[in-house]
C-alpha cells in the first residue's frame, strides 16, 4: 500500500475450507460501504479479519493512515481493542451486570476518561440513539431494539475510526428494524462504516457504495442503485428482484435461441453492437406483460415452472424470466402452461456478461 488513507484501506486474504477470501477494500472517511453476497461467501470472515478476530493469511489493513495488521514482513498485529475499529453484530453483547449508562461509558472509561465525564457522555449518546433517560435501566429490561440502540451508543462513544456492522437488524421485527436503520443513518453519517447485510433496502438506506462478494471474491462494486440496476450475476439480480437472462449481442440487440430483445437506452445499444459478445438482458418482473400471439421482437414464448405468492398477487417463474401478476390475471395458471411474454424496450437494460 502507498500513501496513507484517511478512512479504511485493506487487502484481506484468509484461507477457508473450500476457497480463499481475497478482497481489496477502500472506504473513504465518513463513507458507508455495504457488503452483500450469498450465505457462506466470506462476508463475516472479512469483517472478523478487519476487526482483528481472524488472522490474515496475506494482505494488510490500514486505518486512518496507520497500518494495524500486516501478514508480511515487517509483520504488524494490532490487538482488536487498539485498532480503532468496533464490530456490531446481530447480538448486542451488552454487559449484563451493567446498566445501559455503564455499558456505554465502558469504552471511554477504559481509555482513561473520568467516570463522571464518561457517564455524562453516555447519557448524551443514549439520547442521540433515541433512549433519553434510559441510563439506569438494566440490560434485562431492554427490548431487542433498545439493546441494539445501546450497543450502537456504546460503539460510537468509544470514538472509533471505523464501524463494522454485521447484519445488526436481521433479528428485529420490520418496524423496529426501520427505526434502527434510520437511527444508524443519522449517527453514522460522519463515520467510516462497512455494513454487511442481506437486505437490499439496508444497502440503499445506509450505504454510499455496494460491494458484492461471491465465493470469497469481489464480483461487483459501485453506487448502490447502479449495481442493483445492472446486476453482474444471478445473485445480484435476485437481491434486486430483477430478471437477468444471458444471451449474446446480435444485430444491435440481445438474442437467445429464437428470442430477440432490444433496449431503449444508449448504453445498452452500444453494448449490443459487437455481434456474438456475451450479453445479459435485465428487466423487472413487474415490467413484463402476458400477451396473445406467437411472439416477435421483445416478445417470447415461455413455460411456467413455478408460481409463488407475493403481497400483491403472484410471481410466475418461467424457463425464460419471471412475471408479476395479480391473482385475477394469474387465474388458473399451472406449472407447464405456455405463455407469451412481452417487455417494452424502455424497460430492458443490457449488461456485459462473462
Amino acid at each position: 500500500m502507498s500513501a496513507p488513507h484517511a478512512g479504511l484501506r485493506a487487502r484481506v486474504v484468509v484461507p477457508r475450507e473450500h476457497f480463499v477470501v481475497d478482497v481489496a477494500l477502500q472506504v473513504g472517511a465518513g463513507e458507508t460501504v455495504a457488503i452483500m453476497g450469498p450465505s457462506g461467501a466470506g462476508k463475516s470472515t472479512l469483517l472478523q479479519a478487519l476487526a482483528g478476530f481472524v488472522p490474515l493469511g496475506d494482505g494488510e489493513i490500514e486505518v486512518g493512515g496507520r497500518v494495524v495488521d500486516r501478514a508480511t514482513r515487517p509483520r504488524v498485529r494490532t490487538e482488536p481493542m487498539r485498532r480503532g475499529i468496533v464490530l456490531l453484530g446481530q447480538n448486542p453483547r451488552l454487559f449484563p451486570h451493567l446498566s445501559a449508562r455503564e455499558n456505554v461509558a465502558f469504552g471511554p472509561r477504559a481509555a482513561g476518561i473520568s467516570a463522571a465525564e464518561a457517564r455524562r457522555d453516555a447519557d448524551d449518546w443514549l439520547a442521540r440513539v433515541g433512549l433519553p433517560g434510559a441510563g439506569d435501566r438494566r440490560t434485562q429490561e431492554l427490548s431487542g431494539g433498545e439493546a441494539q440502540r445501546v450497543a450502537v451508543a456504546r460503539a460510537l462513544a468509544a470514538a472509533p475510526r471505523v464501524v463494522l456492522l454485521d447484519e445488526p437488524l436481521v433479528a428485529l421485527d420490520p418496524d423496529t428494524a426501520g427505526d434502527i436503520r434510520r437511527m444508524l443513518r443519522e449517527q453514522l453519517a460522519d463515520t467510516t462504516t462497512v455494513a454487511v447485510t442481506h437486505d437490499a433496502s439496508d444497502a440503499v438506506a445506509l450505504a454510499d457504495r455496494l460491494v458484492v462478494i461471491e465465493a470469497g471474491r469481489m464480483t461487483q462494486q459501485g453506487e448502490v442503485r447502479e449495481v442493483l440496476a445492472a446486476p453482474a450475476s444471478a445473485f445480484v439480480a435476485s437481491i434486486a428482484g430483477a430478471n437477468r437472462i444471458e444471451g449474446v449481442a446480435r444485430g444491435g440487440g440481445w438474442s437467445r435461441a429464437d428470442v430477440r430483445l432490444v433496449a431503449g437506452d444508449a448504453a445498452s445499444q452500444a453494448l449490443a453492437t459487437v455481434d456474438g459478445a456475451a450479453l445479459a438482458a435485465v428487466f423487472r418482473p413487474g415490467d413484463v406483460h402476458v400477451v396473445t400471439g406467437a411472439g416477435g421482437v421483445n416478445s417470447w414464448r415461455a413455460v411456467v415452472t413455478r408460481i409463488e405468492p407475493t403481497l400483491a398477487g403472484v410471481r410466475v417463474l418461467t424457463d425464460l424470466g419471471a412475471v408479476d401478476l395479480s391473482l385475477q390475471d394469474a387465474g388458473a395458471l399451472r406449472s407447464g402452461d405456455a405463455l407469451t411474454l412481452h417487455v417494452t424496450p424502455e424497460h430492458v437494460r443490457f449488461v456485459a456478461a462473462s
Side-chain angles (χ1 to χ4, degrees):
M1 298 185 181
S2 53
H5 188 262
L8 169 71
R9 184 161 58 182
R11 181 179 174 228
V12 170
V13 181
V14 178
R16 291 185 45 171
E17 184 177 358
H18 300 297
F19 58 82
V20 175
V21 174
D22 188 344
V23 176
L25 189 65
Q26 186 163 307
V27 188
E31 182 183 25
T32 295
V33 170
I35 308 286
M36 300 189 77
S39 297
K43 306 182 298 297
S44 291
T45 298
L46 171 63
L47 293 197
Q48 293 282 325
L50 292 172
F53 301 127
V54 171
L56 294 178
D58 194 5
E60 180 177 297
I61 300 169
E62 182 184 289
V63 177
R66 178 173 70 101
V67 175
V68 298
D69 207 339
R70 184 189 292 128
T72 57
R73 295 182 179 179
R75 185 75 170 90
V76 177
R77 177 69 177 168
T78 306
E79 57 189 86
M81 66 179 297
R82 300 189 184 280
R83 292 187 174 213
I85 297 175
V86 295
L87 173 61
L88 290 172
Q90 300 173 23
N91 186 336
R93 300 189 183 281
L94 301 178
F95 301 120
H97 61 289
L98 298 180
S99 67
R101 178 184 298 108
E102 295 300 335
N103 263 280
V104 177
F106 180 85
R109 290 190 65 181
I113 293 176
S114 70
E117 183 179 354
R119 287 167 180 153
R120 284 195 302 271
D121 288 346
D123 284 335
D124 179 59
W125 272 110
L126 288 170
R128 290 173 66 175
V129 300
L131 292 175
D136 292 328
R137 293 173 63 182
R138 313 296 291 185
T139 57
Q140 306 93 304
E141 301 171 330
L142 302 172
S143 68
E146 289 170 337
Q148 278 291 16
R149 289 176 186 269
V150 174
V152 171
R154 182 177 65 179
L156 296 181
R161 287 184 174 271
V162 177
V163 172
L164 309 177
L165 304 176
D166 193 359
E167 300 196 273
L169 308 181
V170 71
L172 303 176
D173 65 81
D175 284 345
T176 302
D179 289 341
I180 301 293
R181 189 182 296 116
R182 286 188 290 273
M183 180 271 294
L184 285 171
R185 185 170 61 245
E186 294 170 359
Q187 299 304 326
L188 296 174
D190 299 319
T191 304
T192 302
T193 305
V194 180
V196 165
T197 179
H198 71 287
D199 190 334
S201 62
D202 286 348
V204 171
L206 294 174
D208 304 294
R209 287 190 294 122
L210 172 60
V211 169
V212 179
I213 297 175
E214 300 181 69
R217 297 294 195 276
M218 183 187 299
T219 58
Q220 193 172 4
Q221 65 170 323
E223 192 274 328
V224 179
R225 293 184 187 276
E226 183 62 26
V227 170
L228 296 177
S233 69
F235 168 76
V236 182
S238 70
I239 61 175
N243 288 306
R244 182 183 187 277
I245 307 175
E246 295 197 359
V248 297
R250 190 82 65 205
W254 173 98
S255 179
R256 174 168 168 163
D258 59 348
V259 181
R260 173 173 163 76
L261 301 178
V262 296
D265 66 293
S268 294
Q269 292 167 0
L271 286 173
T273 56
V274 182
D275 279 6
L279 205 62
V282 177
F283 49 93
R284 297 191 175 278
D287 293 327
V288 181
H289 303 282
V290 177
V291 297
T292 58
V297 177
N298 281 55
S299 297
W300 66 99
R301 294 288 285 172
V303 176
V304 177
T305 58
R306 193 166 74 252
I307 299 174
E308 298 177 346
T310 66
L311 291 176
V314 297
R315 175 160 293 179
V316 179
L317 291 90
T318 78
D319 59 346
L320 208 59
V323 53
D324 286 339
L325 299 175
S326 67
L327 289 173
Q328 180 178 356
D329 289 339
L333 275 179
R334 296 290 183 271
S335 292
D337 288 350
L339 300 172
T340 299
L341 303 179
H342 176 78
V343 60
T344 57
E346 61 264 32
H347 290 130
V348 179
R349 182 170 184 176
F350 299 149
V351 297
S354 55

mmCIF file of all heavy atoms in Angstrom, residues 254-261 296-301 320:
data_model
loop_
_atom_site.group_PDB
_atom_site.id
_atom_site.type_symbol
_atom_site.label_atom_id
_atom_site.label_comp_id
_atom_site.label_asym_id
_atom_site.label_seq_id
_atom_site.Cartn_x
_atom_site.Cartn_y
_atom_site.Cartn_z
ATOM 1 N N TRP A 254 -30.245 -8.093 -28.291
ATOM 2 C CA TRP A 254 -29.885 -9.276 -27.492
ATOM 3 C C TRP A 254 -30.596 -10.471 -28.072
ATOM 4 O O TRP A 254 -31.768 -10.373 -28.480
ATOM 5 C CB TRP A 254 -30.303 -9.030 -26.052
ATOM 6 C CG TRP A 254 -30.172 -10.202 -25.095
ATOM 7 C CD1 TRP A 254 -29.153 -10.436 -24.231
ATOM 8 C CD2 TRP A 254 -31.127 -11.251 -24.871
ATOM 9 N NE1 TRP A 254 -29.394 -11.575 -23.491
ATOM 10 C CE2 TRP A 254 -30.607 -12.090 -23.868
ATOM 11 C CE3 TRP A 254 -32.370 -11.571 -25.435
ATOM 12 C CZ2 TRP A 254 -31.280 -13.223 -23.403
ATOM 13 C CZ3 TRP A 254 -33.039 -12.699 -24.987
ATOM 14 C CH2 TRP A 254 -32.509 -13.516 -23.972
ATOM 15 N N SER A 255 -29.918 -11.606 -28.095
ATOM 16 C CA SER A 255 -30.518 -12.785 -28.704
ATOM 17 C C SER A 255 -30.213 -14.024 -27.885
ATOM 18 O O SER A 255 -29.114 -14.172 -27.342
ATOM 19 C CB SER A 255 -29.985 -12.967 -30.134
ATOM 20 O OG SER A 255 -30.546 -14.126 -30.735
ATOM 21 N N ARG A 256 -31.209 -14.896 -27.818
ATOM 22 C CA ARG A 256 -31.028 -16.218 -27.213
ATOM 23 C C ARG A 256 -31.992 -17.165 -27.901
ATOM 24 O O ARG A 256 -33.220 -16.988 -27.808
ATOM 25 C CB ARG A 256 -31.290 -16.169 -25.713
ATOM 26 C CG ARG A 256 -31.250 -17.540 -25.038
ATOM 27 C CD ARG A 256 -31.215 -17.396 -23.546
ATOM 28 N NE ARG A 256 -31.446 -18.658 -22.878
ATOM 29 C CZ ARG A 256 -31.170 -18.907 -21.609
ATOM 30 N NH1 ARG A 256 -30.628 -17.939 -20.869
ATOM 31 N NH2 ARG A 256 -31.426 -20.069 -21.065
ATOM 32 N N ALA A 257 -31.417 -18.154 -28.601
ATOM 33 C CA ALA A 257 -32.231 -19.050 -29.427
ATOM 34 C C ALA A 257 -33.082 -18.204 -30.373
ATOM 35 O O ALA A 257 -32.560 -17.393 -31.114
ATOM 36 C CB ALA A 257 -33.062 -19.973 -28.542
ATOM 37 N N ASP A 258 -34.407 -18.348 -30.308
ATOM 38 C CA ASP A 258 -35.257 -17.578 -31.225
ATOM 39 C C ASP A 258 -35.854 -16.341 -30.560
ATOM 40 O O ASP A 258 -36.793 -15.731 -31.086
ATOM 41 C CB ASP A 258 -36.372 -18.468 -31.771
ATOM 42 C CG ASP A 258 -37.243 -19.053 -30.674
ATOM 43 O OD1 ASP A 258 -36.854 -18.956 -29.480
ATOM 44 O OD2 ASP A 258 -38.313 -19.621 -30.991
ATOM 45 N N VAL A 259 -35.303 -15.946 -29.393
ATOM 46 C CA VAL A 259 -35.803 -14.768 -28.677
ATOM 47 C C VAL A 259 -34.889 -13.577 -28.982
ATOM 48 O O VAL A 259 -33.663 -13.686 -28.932
ATOM 49 C CB VAL A 259 -35.854 -15.005 -27.156
ATOM 50 C CG1 VAL A 259 -36.400 -13.778 -26.445
ATOM 51 C CG2 VAL A 259 -36.691 -16.243 -26.832
ATOM 52 N N ARG A 260 -35.506 -12.448 -29.288
ATOM 53 C CA ARG A 260 -34.730 -11.229 -29.568
ATOM 54 C C ARG A 260 -35.321 -10.063 -28.775
ATOM 55 O O ARG A 260 -36.531 -9.832 -28.787
ATOM 56 C CB ARG A 260 -34.770 -10.913 -31.068
ATOM 57 C CG ARG A 260 -34.128 -9.574 -31.432
ATOM 58 C CD ARG A 260 -34.038 -9.391 -32.940
ATOM 59 N NE ARG A 260 -33.801 -7.996 -33.306
ATOM 60 C CZ ARG A 260 -32.641 -7.363 -33.208
ATOM 61 N NH1 ARG A 260 -31.591 -8.011 -32.731
ATOM 62 N NH2 ARG A 260 -32.512 -6.099 -33.570
ATOM 63 N N LEU A 261 -34.419 -9.357 -28.068
ATOM 64 C CA LEU A 261 -34.819 -8.186 -27.309
ATOM 65 C C LEU A 261 -34.006 -6.987 -27.764
ATOM 66 O O LEU A 261 -32.828 -7.116 -28.113
ATOM 67 C CB LEU A 261 -34.594 -8.393 -25.804
ATOM 68 C CG LEU A 261 -35.302 -9.559 -25.107
ATOM 69 C CD1 LEU A 261 -34.894 -9.601 -23.636
ATOM 70 C CD2 LEU A 261 -36.806 -9.449 -25.248
ATOM 71 N N GLY A 296 -42.371 -12.151 -31.112
ATOM 72 C CA GLY A 296 -41.756 -11.187 -32.017
ATOM 73 C C GLY A 296 -40.658 -10.490 -31.259
ATOM 74 O O GLY A 296 -40.227 -10.974 -30.208
ATOM 75 N N VAL A 297 -40.190 -9.337 -31.745
ATOM 76 C CA VAL A 297 -39.169 -8.598 -31.026
ATOM 77 C C VAL A 297 -39.714 -8.165 -29.664
ATOM 78 O O VAL A 297 -40.812 -7.618 -29.571
ATOM 79 C CB VAL A 297 -38.703 -7.369 -31.835
ATOM 80 C CG1 VAL A 297 -37.684 -6.558 -31.037
ATOM 81 C CG2 VAL A 297 -38.107 -7.813 -33.160
ATOM 82 N N ASN A 298 -38.957 -8.458 -28.621
ATOM 83 C CA ASN A 298 -39.313 -8.172 -27.226
ATOM 84 C C ASN A 298 -40.518 -8.980 -26.738
ATOM 85 O O ASN A 298 -41.090 -8.672 -25.684
ATOM 86 C CB ASN A 298 -39.532 -6.669 -26.994
ATOM 87 C CG ASN A 298 -38.207 -5.927 -26.861
ATOM 88 O OD1 ASN A 298 -37.368 -6.028 -27.742
ATOM 89 N ND2 ASN A 298 -38.030 -5.206 -25.785
ATOM 90 N N SER A 299 -40.909 -9.992 -27.483
ATOM 91 C CA SER A 299 -41.939 -10.941 -27.045
ATOM 92 C C SER A 299 -41.382 -12.344 -27.225
ATOM 93 O O SER A 299 -40.606 -12.599 -28.151
ATOM 94 C CB SER A 299 -43.223 -10.776 -27.862
ATOM 95 O OG SER A 299 -43.798 -9.506 -27.670
ATOM 96 N N TRP A 300 -41.741 -13.238 -26.333
ATOM 97 C CA TRP A 300 -41.209 -14.602 -26.431
ATOM 98 C C TRP A 300 -42.143 -15.600 -25.739
ATOM 99 O O TRP A 300 -42.926 -15.240 -24.872
ATOM 100 C CB TRP A 300 -39.814 -14.672 -25.822
ATOM 101 C CG TRP A 300 -39.747 -14.444 -24.330
ATOM 102 C CD1 TRP A 300 -39.674 -15.373 -23.349
ATOM 103 C CD2 TRP A 300 -39.737 -13.164 -23.654
ATOM 104 N NE1 TRP A 300 -39.621 -14.782 -22.114
ATOM 105 C CE2 TRP A 300 -39.642 -13.431 -22.272
ATOM 106 C CE3 TRP A 300 -39.781 -11.830 -24.103
ATOM 107 C CZ2 TRP A 300 -39.619 -12.410 -21.324
ATOM 108 C CZ3 TRP A 300 -39.744 -10.826 -23.151
ATOM 109 C CH2 TRP A 300 -39.658 -11.112 -21.784
ATOM 110 N N ARG A 301 -42.023 -16.820 -26.173
ATOM 111 C CA ARG A 301 -42.799 -17.905 -25.571
ATOM 112 C C ARG A 301 -42.018 -18.475 -24.386
ATOM 113 O O ARG A 301 -40.800 -18.661 -24.448
ATOM 114 C CB ARG A 301 -43.052 -19.009 -26.590
ATOM 115 C CG ARG A 301 -43.938 -18.581 -27.746
ATOM 116 C CD ARG A 301 -45.385 -18.410 -27.329
ATOM 117 N NE ARG A 301 -46.066 -19.698 -27.137
ATOM 118 C CZ ARG A 301 -47.288 -19.819 -26.634
ATOM 119 N NH1 ARG A 301 -47.967 -18.731 -26.247
ATOM 120 N NH2 ARG A 301 -47.846 -21.004 -26.516
ATOM 121 N N LEU A 320 -37.810 -18.789 -18.916
ATOM 122 C CA LEU A 320 -37.120 -17.644 -19.500
ATOM 123 C C LEU A 320 -37.637 -16.353 -18.876
ATOM 124 O O LEU A 320 -38.258 -15.517 -19.522
ATOM 125 C CB LEU A 320 -37.300 -17.624 -21.015
ATOM 126 C CG LEU A 320 -36.179 -16.952 -21.830
ATOM 127 C CD1 LEU A 320 -34.852 -17.658 -21.576
ATOM 128 C CD2 LEU A 320 -36.493 -16.978 -23.307
#
